[in-house]
Amino acid sequence: LYWWPANAAIISGNTISNNIGSNGGGIEADVGSAIISGNTIENNKAGAGKGGGIKARDEGTQILNNIIKGNQAEYGGGIAEGGTITGNTIIGNTASSAGGGFYNRDGEGTFSDNYVLDNGGNFGIYIESGKIGVTGNVIAGNYKALRYSQTDDASASISSNIIFNNTGSPALYLDGVPY
């Protein structure tokens, strides 16, 4: 499902499964303020692209209370990019390069109150750059938990997460964060 511009789009209560795309194997919301809520997004592929389950480029996009599982991409097996990402179960996704559960580069928003479980690839959550607050999540069973690479324009905000039973080392890796 590709929506451009995604102004006022509401995607709710769907099962989106077994799709293949270059970006956003399940859903790609390129610009605007889409609301993606209460869906099951599973077993989609974004090949060599971003967001096996969802790719959402705009910080106005809301990704709320979805089950996102078994998706694959090069970056962001479950979800790629920014917006308000809250209350989702992100489980069993895989990224061949980075961010099995969630990957962000240059996006802005919040990543809060999600369950990020058993995702494969380099880190369950991988924030390469951008302004994303990571708060109140349960991050468990991933290959490495969380990498936050900060650039000059980014601000790291990582608080109140429960991080346990991840394999690989380190569980939490901060890269380029100024002292």
Side-chain angles (χ1 to χ4, degrees):
L1 177 62
Y2 176 75
W3 192 268
W4 183 91
N7 292 328
I10 298 173
I11 303 164
S12 180
N14 300 288
T15 298
I16 301 169
S17 63
N18 300 308
N19 299 289
I20 299 172
S22 58
N23 283 304
I27 298 171
E28 182 176 5
D30 217 11
V31 294
S33 55
I35 298 171
I36 302 167
S37 175
N39 300 286
T40 298
I41 302 164
E42 62 184 338
N43 301 322
N44 299 289
K45 295 180 183 179
K50 296 179 183 176
I54 302 171
K55 180 180 180 277
R57 242 177 74 155
D58 194 277
E59 62 266 10
T61 299
Q62 298 177 57
I63 302 171
L64 312 169
N65 306 311
N66 299 284
I67 297 170
I68 302 165
K69 65 179 181 177
N71 300 288
Q72 300 174 16
E74 183 174 359
Y75 296 93
I79 302 171
E81 305 303 344
T84 299
I85 303 167
T86 302
N88 301 285
T89 299
I90 304 166
I91 185 168
N93 301 287
T94 304
S96 59
S97 290
F102 174 65
Y103 172 83
N104 183 71
R105 181 174 181 184
D106 299 328
E108 295 186 17
T110 58
F111 189 87
S112 62
D113 302 316
N114 299 289
Y115 288 91
V116 183
L117 309 170
D118 302 321
N119 295 287
N122 197 15
F123 292 92
I125 300 170
Y126 193 109
I127 299 172
E128 187 170 339
S129 60
K131 298 176 183 178
I132 298 282
V134 180
T135 305
N137 301 285
V138 175
I139 306 166
N142 302 285
Y143 178 72
K144 302 179 185 174
L146 170 63
R147 180 174 180 164
Y148 205 122
S149 297
Q150 186 177 20
T151 60
D152 291 338
D153 66 340
S155 57
S157 173
I158 303 167
S159 63
S160 303
N161 298 287
I162 300 170
I163 302 171
F164 68 99
N165 287 345
N166 296 282
T167 60
S169 177
L172 179 60
Y173 180 57
L174 304 178
D175 179 21
V177 177
Y179 295 89

